[in-house]
Amino acid sequence: MYIKKAFLLATTLAASVAAQGVNCALLGTFNNHGPFNDIWGYTAPNGDEYALLGTTTGTVVIDVTNPSSPVETGWFPWGSSSWRDIRTYGNYAYVVTEATSGVRVIDLSNPNNPTTANTFGTGISSSSHNVCIDVSTGILYLPGSSAGTPAWDLTTNPTNPTYLGLAGGTGNGNYFHDLCVENGYGYGSMIYNGDLRIWDATTFPPTVLSDTGTPGNFTHNAWPNAAGTICVTTDETSGSVIKFFDITNKSNPQPLGQFTPNSNSIPH
């Protein structure tokens, strides 16, 4: 699924580029409802695979089981924003934007005929840059929201979840531009502080274990490897690096190697 998602993202954002990249082959393209800004994936119980593609005006569901012939199965306009983010939990997709309040829920029980299930949290957050779901605990976080980092428990009622409170405070000093929570830890990108923040997410609110500066001092995103021993970050500044950290000790991350993908580009 991850390979197909990578292909779809590459082709939707740069379908006209002749170069295929290293060890990659163009399988198919999808160009409806663009321009695009984010992508996630969903695998149905029968094994069919779907791309959830964020656009500036909505979310489109695409059957990519046959990657050479992607098929649109659902279109959900909602607000108009350059930023839209999507995550899944069970048979539901959760969508946020910086143009609309709350979280929109899309029911993927029948991904060939998806429907809107609900919008929740409208009285708590008027906008959100990102959404994060810890699938092991069923907790949904809204990093980059107008309210700080509010959180909901999806486990009992995934379309109308229980509000837990703020997992992180308000203001630029507490602003997460991106967040990944898995296996009991949170990895947050504090873009205005220029830090990788690691949480102990087994408590609520989570406990801060460490804040580690990233090279460009404008931390855009962070993601751990499956073992939780390495974290990769980018800084959203021109010519910046992709940085690797040893996070074996979550309270004391250690810098490892880095590389510059393009001195004239902004890592994102």
Side-chain angles (χ1 to χ4, degrees), residues 51-200:
L52 309 175
L53 188 59
T55 82
T56 55
T57 55
T59 304
V60 58
V61 180
I62 309 155
D63 184 346
V64 293
T65 306
N66 178 359
S68 64
S69 183
V71 177
E72 178 180 331
T73 64
W75 164 240
F76 300 90
W78 189 47
S80 180
S81 174
S82 298
W83 296 277
R84 190 175 307 271
D85 200 39
I86 310 156
R87 292 293 186 271
T88 57
Y89 178 76
N91 293 327
Y92 298 95
Y94 299 83
V95 184
V96 299
T97 82
E98 288 198 8
T100 48
S101 60
V103 182
R104 176 64 55 88
V105 186
I106 299 173
D107 187 343
L108 297 171
S109 299
N110 179 1
N112 291 318
N113 185 28
T115 58
T116 300
N118 192 20
T119 302
F120 66 85
T122 55
I124 295 171
S125 174
S126 62
S127 65
S128 182
H129 184 75
N130 217 316
V131 59
C132 165
I133 299 176
D134 181 354
V135 294
S136 66
T137 64
I139 296 178
L140 178 148
Y141 302 86
L142 285 191
S145 89
S146 62
T149 309
W152 286 262
D153 182 352
L154 303 174
T155 56
T156 302
N157 188 341
T159 62
N160 190 23
T162 302
Y163 180 56
L164 299 175
L166 290 181
T170 60
N172 283 355
N174 294 303
Y175 175 88
F176 287 110
H177 196 69
D178 193 24
L179 179 65
C180 170
V181 182
E182 58 182 39
N183 299 321
Y185 295 99
Y187 306 88
S189 306
M190 307 192 75
I191 196 167
Y192 296 120
N193 297 0
D195 288 339
L196 161 65
R197 171 166 289 182
I198 299 182
W199 276 347
D200 176 353

